Amino acid sequence: DAGITQSPRYKITETGRQVTLMCHQTWSHSYMFWYRQDLGHGLRLIYYSAAADITDKGEVPDGYVVSRSKTENFPLTLESATRSQTSVYFCASSEQGRETQYFGPGTRLLVL
Amino acid sequence: DQQVKQNSPSLSVQEGRISILNCDYTNSMFDYFLWYKKYPAEGPTFLISISSIKDKNEDGRFTVFLNKSAKHLSLHIVPSQPGDSAVYFCAADRYNSGGYQKVTFGTGTKLQVIP
């Protein structure tokens, strides 16, 4: 499918488990982003990547790990999930640094 | 520290009337501003943007106004339609020291357009 996809769409896990959220885009956009959306906080940037093998922290990076070995993929890993990481996670991409971002449909994560 | 603020969590407007969504920012380094629209169970989609060299940008029913001295921008929707009912996020952009894009989003305003 063309565009940006996220998997899984819904995930339930337990505290302490490792979870990986996948993001794939077909446009070969240089930039990719991970956000979390929480009530009262809006969208907060977790990590972003300007190109393959280039990643940097956003506003709330603690407890998350990212990698970008290929331009089209940008997985987000919660190394040891905590209840505070229950959220809706959005992946986004943009062609260049100063352009609009295209968002995926989101992954709803519940940590018990 | 919330650098981009949308102080109204929700707004209700009658169909056909004007909707005005407001956004304030604190960081004077922001020089590009965007509005995104989000429907339930979907990702945000880009709506309209404005550069700091302008004070107004218009696209159909949507107009964004920027007041740099007040660090304030607003989105006007005229006329409002029921399909405009969504959450609207304001976002501000600046280049960080590494030269990469770093966008900060506001908390969102939920607009309900009443038929």
Side-chain angles (χ1 to χ4, degrees), chain A residues 9 31 33 35 37 40-43 45 48 50 54 56-59 90 94 96-101 103-105, chain B residues 1-2 31-32 34 36 38 41-46 89 93-96 99-103 105-108:
Chain A
R9 295 292 313 275
Y31 283 79
F33 309 85
Y35 295 91
Q37 184 192 7
H41 291 282
L43 289 166
L45 181 65
Y48 68 101
I54 300 176
D56 203 354
K57 296 177 180 179
E59 183 184 355
F90 290 100
S94 67
Q96 294 296 333
R98 250 310 144 92
E99 299 195 2
T100 60
Q101 296 180 23
F103 283 80
Chain B
D1 180 28
Q2 190 72 29
D31 61 354
Y32 191 68
L34 311 95
Y36 285 81
K38 184 186 178 303
E42 295 183 11
T45 56
F46 169 74
F89 290 100
D93 183 11
R94 64 178 173 89
Y95 278 114
N96 67 11
Y100 303 138
Q101 179 191 38
K102 198 165 187 177
V103 175
F105 283 82
T107 52

Side-chain angles (χ1 to χ4, degrees), chain A residues 13-89:
Chain A
T13 190
E14 295 178 339
T15 301
R17 290 191 180 267
Q18 183 179 81
V19 176
T20 296
L21 309 184
M22 304 301 293
C23 179
H24 176 78
Q25 52 105 353
T26 60
W27 296 303
S28 298
H29 283 170
S30 296
Y31 283 79
M32 295 189 75
F33 309 85
W34 274 106
Y35 295 91
R36 59 179 290 174
Q37 184 192 7
D38 304 288
L39 194 63
H41 291 282
L43 289 166
R44 291 183 292 175
L45 181 65
I46 303 171
Y47 270 96
Y48 68 101
S49 170
D53 296 323
I54 300 176
T55 62
D56 203 354
K57 296 177 180 179
E59 183 184 355
V60 288
D62 293 343
Y64 303 95
V65 175
V66 294
S67 62
R68 187 127 179 247
S69 58
K70 292 184 178 180
T71 300
E72 61 266 30
N73 296 324
F74 192 39
L76 176 74
T77 298
L78 289 66
E79 293 188 301
S80 178
T82 65
R83 290 195 180 126
S84 64
Q85 292 177 311
T86 292
S87 186
V88 181
Y89 291 85

Side-chain angles (χ1 to χ4, degrees), chain B residues 10-68:
Chain B
S10 63
L11 175 67
S12 289
V13 173
Q14 286 291 131
E15 181 178 4
R17 306 294 290 268
I18 183 171
S19 294
I20 300 176
L21 293 85
N22 294 304
C23 178
D24 297 295
Y25 61 95
T26 57
N27 191 336
S28 59
M29 297 298 291
F30 290 139
D31 61 354
Y32 191 68
F33 304 89
L34 311 95
W35 285 93
Y36 285 81
K37 176 179 179 180
K38 184 186 178 303
Y39 291 118
E42 295 183 11
T45 56
F46 169 74
L47 188 58
I48 193 169
S49 62
I50 187 167
S51 166
S52 61
I53 62 173
K54 296 184 175 181
D55 55 18
K56 177 183 174 181
N57 189 27
E58 196 171 353
D59 184 2
R61 297 186 296 112
F62 302 90
T63 302
V64 56
F65 296 91
L66 175 63
N67 182 333
K68 291 186 291 294

